[in-house]
Amino acid sequence: MTAKERMAIEPQAMPEQDAKVRARNMNEVALGYTAEMARREASRCMQCAAKPCMRGCPVAINIPGFLAKAAEGNFEGALAVIRETSLLPAVCGRVCPQEKQCQKFCTMGKLLKDVDKAVAIGRVERFVADLAREKAASAAGKGVPAPSVAPSDRTGRRVAVVGSGPASITCAADCARAGHDVTMFEAFHKAGGVLVYGIPEFRLPKAIVQNEIDGLKALGVKVELNYVVGRTRKLRDLMEKDGFDAVFVGTGAGLPKFMDIEGENLVGVFSANEYLTRANLMKAYDEKGHDTPFWHGRRVAVLGGGNVAMDASRMALRLGAEKVYLVYRRSEAEMPARKEEVHHAKEEGVEFLMLQNAKRVLGDDQGRVVGLECLKYELGEPDASGRRSPVAIPGSEFTLDVDTVVVAVGNASNPLIPATTEGLEVNKRGNIVVDAETNMTSIPGVFAGGDIVLGAATVILAMGEGRRAAAGINAYLAKKGSAS
Amino acid sequence: MNCIKEKRQLSDNVFFMKIDAPLIARERKAGQFIILMVDEEAGERIPLTIADADETAGTISIIFQTVGATTMKLSRLEPGDSLAAVLGPLGRPTDIRGANGEKPGHVVCVGGGIGVAPMHPIAQALKAAGNRVTIIMGARNKSLFVMEDEMRRIAGDDLILMTDDGSSGRKGLVTEPLKELCESGAVDEVIAIGPPIMMKFCALTTRPYGVKTVASLNTIMIDGTGMCGGCRVSVGGKTKFVCVDGPEFDAHQVDWDLMLKRMGAFKPQEAAARDHVCNLFKGI
Ligand SMILES: Cc1cc2nc3c(=O)[nH]c(=O)nc-3n(C[C@H](O)[C@H](O)[C@H](O)COP(=O)(O)OP(=O)(O)OC[C@H]3O[C@@H](n4cnc5c(N)ncnc54)[C@H](O)[C@@H]3O)c2cc1C
Ligand SMILES: Cc1cc2nc3c(=O)[nH]c(=O)nc-3n(C[C@H](O)[C@H](O)[C@H](O)COP(=O)(O)OP(=O)(O)OC[C@H]3O[C@@H](n4cnc5c(N)ncnc54)[C@H](O)[C@@H]3O)c2cc1C
Ligand code: SF4
Ligand code: SF4
Ligand code: FES
């Protein structure tokens, strides 16, 4: 096929649930490509010699390599190429901000002068991963690959992995494959981190995350739930008393930021973490069978402009809200959320209030939210991040009629482990400081990665960090092995 | 793990349970709590104080009152049954020292209703640290007192019982003897654990005398690790998370009215869930 012929292939749209219907159910919004669509989309790739797309992928997946195989209909081969560098394609294909990563640099998008017309790398990635999972499920009755570590390759070294988000899943898998005896410790009663308690079912079905956890178990990883490192056991005790040779800390950015405005502790104001956890992990929306209550917000204001804010506002609709406002103090161009989620939220009926910001929450004599006073903003000079900073317009106050406010203005890192681990160096934002090459912390044998190191980031970055840390751990243990 | 070893009914709606939890028994200190789930798929996560622990046997004890759906389901479990999840020990341990910094002094422990249970390990540790410990226990009536013998063992003659109806001890509220003690000038510190409204009035009682007063807060929680902010309260004008910054705070600094309102956030849903469970148990 010539480049011209490839350019002529229509970009394959993602089949989706109808916006009106899906805004009231928890099922996945994007339904996924068919094999034919995946093949067609993959055949749009021009196999650029310079592979600019790979530069945009944080884990440098061989994108033209896997697309070439997918274009031939060799989906297993395509997945094998992806798996050389990525562990969670079914997840990343769904949640990566592709328009800022791989697809941003795609030549096809450049030629057609529209990043939305770049090769839909993520969607093909998702398809090949889903297909393999479904095949394995129907073959074995469940989607678990056979254990791949022979007993003779076991090292006898023990690695503790703290947390069970994407950074920890990846680190655990790579350490287990290297033959170490790995135990994962998770505070919650389900493993998966933000993938299970934060990102909603309608964007990332929980069965996919569970499949990855089952895969870990098949590799021999032990998963200890309901175990808070720092409380149930101090990190140093894991090494000094329980015999772990190395520890990986992947505890994420689980400390909700608030706006520090009047009325923020009123009844009906939630952090997005609480709001989403009640709905996702505790399944509060399913009132027939679940004990955790949820808040019946009729008119909801969500504060923020990232993925978390999109998820909270779309969740509010699904929990029965009549009206959902998204209040963001910059303009839409500056919104950090994935473009697709912004688009979906609008389609579903979330009303975007741009260049506006909450000033105080108003309550009644019962302490319940009855309104949100906001201020209008305009864009001023670019700030340190290069974004034009919003400036409040004096006297522009107005009141939104809402009974629920969800604060989604970011997460800082959870201080529990640094606070209970002597000698663990953190920077002034509370992120654990690590060596750039090995991800080792200030304590020998203790490694860290993911949001606890980067600050709230992305799934693929967390995964990349988990990989790097696992390589660091494997090298550290090999050295230790020959020394002793 | 998480197997129920022992169960006793202490009064109409108060239960004692010993649970197999060796890791928690090993690490826990006075003032800390657990979060438990009765069932895995549909369950709610609720916080309960560790009333006692036996490191050698690997068990912890809890004492709870049936107030809603989850505590009711818990009360129906029997020795041999297992809990879906037990997480802990959570929260900061009580800072057990002498009442005056390192020097022992006179501490008054006020326990209201079920609040006596979480008070027990704290009172015990305070006594062991050389303090004089006075204990005031309050309940609506005689049948609702729990752990009276245990508390008498710690406080001896310094145990004051108060009931609303006079069916045991003095008739009246816990704040009355508390006020008398403060007036006598011999109190160095007060610790109050019980219903929020009682803790609020204890704080109001001691404030004019400038007596340091600590309260153990019992807000609604989900994760217990500082991730959700659902347990937040306002203390001295600052937002604090009870699960990681507490559960104990300076009672004079807590915004009690706001906390009381926040704790009522899910009342209608809780009432519906409770009725649902009640009916299930009645077989309706
Ligand atoms: C609502 C929401 C939507 C998002 N949407 C996207 C998206 O669309 N695309 C994208 O790329 N990224 C998205 N992100 C960001 C992404 O999810 C995170 O960057 C990523 O999950 C970080 O992974 P992690 O492994 O570092 O930690 P996490 O996923 O945060 O997992 C940490 C785990 O550690 C556990 N833990 C914490 N402390 C302890 C302890 N002391 N002991 C034991 N366990 C502990 C926690 O319970 C948690 O399960 C979103 C985040 C949120 C909250
Ligand atoms: C740190 C901490 C320690 C605690 N220790 C104990 C203990 O040792 N023994 C004990 O019996 N209880 C204790 N509690 C209270 C206990 O957590 C609640 O009683 C329990 O969550 C109620 O759950 P439920 O589903 O049975 O009732 P729900 O249906 O949730 O509530 C029923 C009623 O109880 C009220 N309520 C809800 N949550 C709480 C709460 N957290 N505290 C007080 N009232 C509440 C509601 O307003 C409602 O009226 C503690 C709470 C905290 C935060
Ligand atoms: S992992 Fe993410 S960034 Fe990398 S190719 Fe896949 S979708 Fe693109
Ligand atoms: S830049 Fe686009 S067209 Fe070029 S190789 Fe990558 S995916 Fe294919
Ligand atoms: S219970 Fe979630 S932060 Fe305290």
Side-chain angles (χ1 to χ4, degrees), chain B:
Chain B
M1 263 218 297
N2 305 344
C3 179
I4 296 168
K5 291 286 181 201
E6 210 180 306
K7 174 188 173 185
R8 268 182 287 138
Q9 184 157 7
L10 302 184
S11 78
D12 252 7
N13 57 0
V14 177
F15 294 81
F16 166 95
M17 270 182 188
K18 216 175 236 183
I19 304 166
D20 192 34
L23 301 180
I24 301 174
R26 181 178 63 190
E27 298 282 334
R28 75 94 211 194
K29 298 203 169 61
Q32 290 188 296
F33 63 96
I34 54 165
I35 284 189
L36 64 78
M37 286 177 86
V38 174
D39 25 54
E40 160 88 50
E41 273 314 311
E44 180 182 32
R45 298 166 62 96
I46 66 161
L48 293 170
T49 306
I50 304 166
D52 205 351
D54 181 337
E55 198 184 330
T56 351
T59 57
I60 56 169
S61 304
I62 51 171
I63 296 178
F64 63 92
Q65 185 168 15
T66 51
V67 294
T70 305
T71 43
M72 231 173 254
K73 285 186 186 168
L74 182 61
S75 73
R76 308 290 291 203
L77 298 182
E78 296 299 334
D81 292 338
S82 283
L83 297 167
V86 179
L87 172 75
L90 301 171
R92 290 170 187 258
T94 309
D95 187 14
I96 303 280
R97 291 170 300 157
N100 305 308
E102 299 310 315
K103 239 175 49 238
H106 182 199
V107 186
V108 178
C109 298
V110 188
I114 185 81
V116 171
M119 187 64 89
H120 181 249
I122 297 172
Q124 222 170 16
L126 283 168
K127 183 83 186 179
N131 296 286
R132 175 181 166 199
V133 178
T134 296
I135 298 174
I136 307 176
M137 284 171 60
R140 258 176 295 134
N141 61 57
K142 184 177 173 4
S143 74
L144 296 174
F145 275 132
V146 294
M147 302 184 88
E148 189 183 325
D149 295 342
E150 284 89 338
M151 294 310 247
R152 192 176 302 282
R153 241 172 273 142
I154 297 170
D157 291 341
D158 288 335
L159 178 72
I160 305 169
L161 301 181
M162 301 294 298
T163 49
D164 290 6
D165 62 358
S167 53
S168 180
R170 265 168 72 178
K171 184 175 169 172
L173 301 174
V174 290
T175 43
E176 291 167 24
L178 180 61
K179 185 162 195 264
E180 292 155 16
L181 284 164
C182 287
E183 231 147 44
S184 74
V187 181
D188 298 301
E189 182 173 335
V190 172
I191 300 184
I193 309 183
I197 194 77
M198 179 209 91
M199 294 191 278
K200 171 185 166 175
F201 279 100
C202 287
L204 288 175
T205 304
T206 59
R207 186 195 290 271
Y209 304 97
V211 176
K212 180 182 170 198
T213 303
V214 173
S216 181
L217 306 190
N218 48 1
T219 51
I220 293 171
M221 292 188 179
I222 302 184
D223 58 306
T225 65
M227 187 277 286
C228 76
C231 61
R232 68 194 191 277
V233 287
S234 177
V235 181
K238 290 215 171 68
T239 296
K240 298 275 177 194
F241 291 2
V242 174
C243 69
V244 285
D245 301 324
E248 290 172 12
F249 293 99
D250 179 347
H252 293 149
Q253 300 287 320
V254 174
D255 184 339
W256 292 103
D257 293 336
L258 188 65
M259 172 174 154
L260 279 159
K261 285 170 187 161
R262 284 187 62 82
M263 287 184 69
F266 294 100
K267 267 229 162 81
Q269 291 102 309
E270 284 160 354
R274 183 180 53 233
D275 293 346
H276 179 70
V277 173
C278 269
N279 291 341
L280 278 182
F281 289 153
K282 281 192 218 125
I284 303 173

Side-chain angles (χ1 to χ4, degrees), chain A residues 115-185:
Chain A
V115 66
D116 292 344
K117 294 194 176 139
V119 178
I121 299 163
R123 292 172 180 175
V124 180
E125 183 175 332
R126 165 187 165 158
F127 173 80
V128 298
D130 284 0
L131 185 73
R133 190 181 60 254
E134 282 154 20
K135 266 204 189 139
S138 58
K142 50 184 179 354
V144 179
S148 57
V149 186
S152 58
D153 294 335
R154 303 251 162 83
T155 62
R157 294 288 185 187
R158 300 181 65 217
V159 178
V161 171
V162 187
S164 62
S168 298
I169 293 175
T170 312
C171 184
D174 284 359
C175 287
R177 287 209 187 95
H180 306 313
D181 180 358
V182 181
T183 307
M184 178 180 254
F185 296 99

